[in-house]
Coordinates of all heavy atoms in Angstrom, one line a residue:
A308 N -5.4 -23.1 12.6 CA -4.2 -22.8 11.7 C -3.7 -24.1 11.1 O -3.2 -24.1 9.9 CB -3.2 -22.1 12.4
K309 N -3.7 -25.2 11.9 CA -3.1 -26.5 11.4 C -4.0 -27.1 10.2 O -3.5 -27.9 9.5 CB -3.0 -27.5 12.5 CG -1.8 -27.2 13.4 CD -1.7 -28.2 14.5 CE -0.5 -27.8 15.4 NZ -0.5 -28.3 16.7
T310 N -5.2 -26.6 10.0 CA -6.0 -27.1 8.9 C -5.7 -26.4 7.6 O -6.3 -26.7 6.6 CB -7.5 -27.0 9.2 OG1 -7.8 -25.6 9.3 CG2 -7.9 -27.7 10.5
A311 N -4.9 -25.3 7.7 CA -4.7 -24.5 6.5 C -4.1 -25.3 5.3 O -3.1 -26.0 5.5 CB -3.8 -23.3 6.8
R312 N -4.8 -25.2 4.2 CA -4.3 -26.0 3.0 C -3.3 -25.1 2.2 O -3.6 -24.0 1.8 CB -5.5 -26.3 2.1 CG -6.4 -27.4 2.6 CD -7.4 -27.8 1.5 NE -8.3 -26.6 1.2 CZ -9.4 -26.3 1.9 NH1 -9.7 -27.0 2.9 NH2 -10.1 -25.3 1.5
M313 N -2.1 -25.7 2.1 CA -1.1 -24.9 1.3 C -1.0 -25.5 -0.1 O -1.5 -26.6 -0.3 CB 0.3 -25.1 2.0 CG 0.3 -24.6 3.4 SD 2.0 -24.7 4.1 CE 2.7 -23.2 3.5
G314 N -0.4 -24.7 -1.0 CA -0.3 -25.2 -2.4 C -0.4 -24.2 -3.4 O -0.1 -23.0 -3.2
D315 N -0.8 -24.6 -4.6 CA -0.9 -23.7 -5.8 C -1.8 -22.6 -5.5 O -3.0 -22.8 -5.3 CB -1.4 -24.6 -7.0 CG -1.3 -23.8 -8.3 OD1 -1.1 -22.6 -8.2 OD2 -1.6 -24.4 -9.3
P316 N -1.3 -21.3 -5.6 CA -2.1 -20.2 -5.3 C -3.2 -20.0 -6.4 O -4.2 -19.3 -6.2 CB -1.2 -19.0 -5.3 CG 0.0 -19.5 -6.0 CD 0.1 -20.9 -5.8
L317 N -3.0 -20.6 -7.6 CA -4.1 -20.5 -8.6 C -5.3 -21.4 -8.3 O -6.3 -21.3 -9.0 CB -3.5 -20.8 -10.0 CG -2.7 -19.7 -10.7 CD1 -2.0 -20.2 -11.9 CD2 -3.6 -18.5 -11.0
S318 N -5.1 -22.4 -7.4 CA -6.2 -23.2 -7.0 C -7.1 -22.6 -6.0 O -6.6 -22.0 -5.0 CB -5.7 -24.6 -6.4 OG -6.6 -25.2 -5.7
K319 N -8.4 -22.6 -6.2 CA -9.4 -22.0 -5.3 C -9.4 -22.6 -3.9 O -9.9 -22.1 -3.0 CB -10.8 -22.0 -6.0 CG -10.9 -21.1 -7.2 CD -12.0 -20.1 -6.9 CE -12.1 -19.0 -7.9 NZ -11.7 -18.7 -9.1
E320 N -8.9 -23.9 -3.9 CA -8.9 -24.6 -2.6 C -7.8 -24.1 -1.6 O -7.8 -24.3 -0.4 CB -8.6 -26.1 -2.8 CG -9.6 -26.8 -3.8 CD -11.0 -26.6 -3.3 OE1 -11.3 -26.9 -2.2 OE2 -11.8 -26.1 -4.1
T321 N -6.7 -23.6 -2.2 CA -5.5 -23.2 -1.4 C -5.8 -22.1 -0.4 O -6.5 -21.1 -0.8 CB -4.4 -22.8 -2.3 OG1 -4.1 -23.9 -3.2 CG2 -3.1 -22.5 -1.6
Q322 N -5.3 -22.2 0.8 CA -5.5 -21.1 1.8 C -4.2 -20.4 2.1 O -4.3 -19.2 2.5 CB -6.1 -21.7 3.0 CG -7.5 -22.2 2.8 CD -8.1 -23.1 3.9 OE1 -7.4 -23.8 4.5 NE2 -9.3 -22.9 4.2
V323 N -3.1 -21.0 2.0 CA -1.8 -20.4 2.3 C -0.9 -20.6 1.1 O -0.6 -21.8 0.8 CB -1.2 -20.8 3.6 CG1 0.2 -20.2 3.8 CG2 -2.1 -20.5 4.8
G324 N -0.5 -19.6 0.4 CA 0.4 -19.7 -0.7 C 1.9 -19.5 -0.4 O 2.2 -19.4 0.8
P325 N 2.7 -19.3 -1.4 CA 4.1 -19.2 -1.2 C 4.5 -17.7 -0.8 O 3.6 -16.8 -0.8 CB 4.7 -19.5 -2.6 CG 3.7 -19.1 -3.5 CD 2.4 -19.4 -2.9
I326 N 5.8 -17.5 -0.5 CA 6.3 -16.2 -0.2 C 6.7 -15.6 -1.6 O 7.2 -16.4 -2.5 CB 7.6 -16.3 0.7 CG1 7.2 -17.0 2.0 CG2 8.2 -14.9 0.9 CD1 6.4 -16.2 2.9
T327 N 6.5 -14.3 -1.8 CA 6.5 -13.8 -3.2 C 7.9 -13.9 -3.8 O 8.0 -14.1 -5.0 CB 6.1 -12.3 -3.2 OG1 4.7 -12.3 -2.8 CG2 6.2 -11.7 -4.5

Side-chain angles (χ1 to χ4, degrees):
K309 281 177 182 160
T310 65
R312 287 185 299 274
M313 301 185 82
D315 184 353
L317 279 173
S318 157
K319 290 241 168 16
E320 305 303 309
T321 301
Q322 293 170 318
V323 176
I326 302 291
T327 298

